[in-house]
Amino acid sequence: MSTRHFLRDDDLSPSELLEVLDLADAMKAAPFDHKPLSGPQTVALVFDRPTLRTQVSFAAGIAELGGNPMTVDGGLAAMGSREGVEDVARILGRQAAAIVWRTAHQSDVVTMASYAGVPVLNALTDEFHPCQLLADLQTVREHTGRLAGVRAAFVGDGACNMGNSWVLAGASAGLHVVIGAPDGFSPDADVVAKAREIAQDTGGSVELTTDPVEAVKGAEVVITDSWVSMGREEEAGDRLRIFPPYGVTEELLAHAEPEAIVMHCLPAYRGKEIADEVIEGPQSVVWDEAENRRHAQKAVLTWLLDHS
């Protein structure tokens, strides 16, 4: 059996995605019933980028699975400068049952997976944020009762990792995903093409628009993210001039379905991509979404270990 990894959202087939989400629901209902890491086995958590939810949810989840979370400071490890990713992968693979890495470049997690010999999970790169999407889909299903056929609108910077992951994971789950973003800020064209290919088999769809009102019209789920992603700070001035029409305000939300839920992967910059009264309002499910990182990540880690 080959080693399975979770580096981008389509590393799970549509049927496998549903298996993982079902397992996440079971683990949420009974957090201490699954102990695949008893021993305890160690899972390496490597962080090159700022982290709060990713670190705490993986650490708590691995402990609940009976394992030992071993945090590796990416700054001290200095992968890519002090020593190559290939060498680090082979070292960590002999110390840990799995490796979780939050870093900049997708190519680096691909290299890690090629050499580690154990499952590697992408905890965020500039291109994709697949663990977040598992939690998001779990949250959508909790609040709407289904995934297939749900209309979900992502408004703001569609060219970020969340935009890419939403079209891939949403298409895999059979959602109708609409990206509302300014010209030049759509998800990667190759990712959109792959998502539309997947959607042909799942009944989902991917739509791109530059009109934020058109994007949220009829949506059951409205999603946003920071307009200035990590590594893009020098573009902040220009972005803050371009994106205000895409902010999730009460006025924009009024065009969605009356019971639409609002999601944000956090951290949120209130008064910019999302209004304070929206994130604190009755339609916000961001705290459920943040909690579900733990359950969804426990599920995908368990699934990868079972299938490797």
Side-chain angles (χ1 to χ4, degrees):
M1 186 183 295
S2 61
T3 303
R4 293 292 299 268
H5 307 286
F6 191 47
L7 309 183
R8 46 184 279 166
D9 305 82
D10 54 347
D11 281 343
L12 296 175
S13 71
S15 61
E16 291 170 343
L17 172 62
L18 293 179
E19 286 179 25
V20 170
L21 292 175
D22 288 344
L23 182 56
D25 287 345
M27 288 179 163
K28 185 171 185 176
F32 306 107
D33 282 3
H34 300 79
K35 301 290 184 183
L37 292 171
S38 61
Q41 297 181 69
T42 292
V43 175
L45 305 177
V46 188
F47 299 113
D48 297 340
R49 285 286 182 87
T51 177
L52 172 63
R53 281 152 299 281
T54 297
Q55 181 171 352
V56 299
S57 59
F58 265 113
I62 290 162
E64 289 180 0
L65 293 175
N68 170 53
M70 178 178 66
T71 300
V72 179
D73 185 325
L76 292 177
M79 280 182 280
S81 56
R82 184 168 178 264
E83 52 190 321
V85 174
E86 298 88 344
D87 292 354
V88 174
R90 286 177 285 203
I91 291 164
L92 292 179
R94 294 191 177 209
Q95 303 291 344
I99 300 166
V100 176
W101 193 10
R102 182 180 177 94
T103 192
H105 303 299
Q106 185 72 16
S107 59
D108 284 340
V109 296
V110 171
T111 300
M112 178 74 77
S114 297
Y115 286 88
V118 297
V120 174
L121 291 80
N122 174 2
L124 174 144
T125 62
D126 290 343
E127 288 87 349
F128 299 102
H129 201 353
C131 289
Q132 179 68 54
L133 259 292
L134 291 178
D136 286 2
L137 292 176
Q138 183 180 16
T139 307
V140 169
R141 192 164 68 169
E142 283 179 346
H143 286 273
T144 68
R146 71 194 204 287
L147 288 173
V150 168
R151 181 177 172 91
F154 182 100
V155 289
D157 180 14
C160 72
N161 50 17
M162 285 295 290
N164 287 334
S165 279
W166 255 104
V167 296
L168 273 184
S172 294
L175 277 74
H176 300 298
V177 179
V178 186
I179 305 291
D183 281 328
F185 291 94
S186 294
D188 180 86
D190 290 339
V191 172
V192 172
K194 181 60 185 295
R196 285 174 168 160
E197 179 184 329
I198 294 169
Q200 291 177 2
D201 294 327
T202 64
S205 65
V206 176
E207 177 185 341
L208 307 179
T209 178
T210 58
D211 185 341
V213 172
E214 184 65 28
V216 303
K217 192 176 295 181
E220 298 167 75
V221 183
V222 177
I223 313 110
T224 191
D225 191 12
S226 169
W227 294 336
V228 185
S229 297
M230 286 181 284
R232 301 280 189 173
E233 290 81 5
E234 74 283 355
E235 302 174 14
D238 289 339
R239 286 170 175 259
L240 293 176
R241 285 189 291 272
I242 293 170
F243 282 106
Y246 299 84
V248 181
T249 60
E250 290 182 320
E251 291 76 19
L252 184 63
L253 191 58
H255 296 280
E257 287 294 296
E259 302 301 317
I261 60 172
V262 177
M263 305 179 73
H264 191 310
C265 66
L266 304 176
Y269 298 91
R270 301 174 185 224
K272 293 184 172 64
E273 75 273 5
I274 191 166
D276 189 71
E277 58 267 24
V278 173
I279 198 170
E280 295 291 352
Q283 292 170 269
S284 170
V285 298
V286 299
W287 316 118
D288 293 342
E289 183 185 2
E291 177 192 336
N292 284 344
R293 288 288 299 278
R294 182 169 92 256
H295 312 303
Q297 289 161 181
K298 286 172 62 178
V300 72
L301 177 56
T302 299
W303 191 94
L304 292 171
L305 291 168
D306 286 346
H307 289 79
S308 294

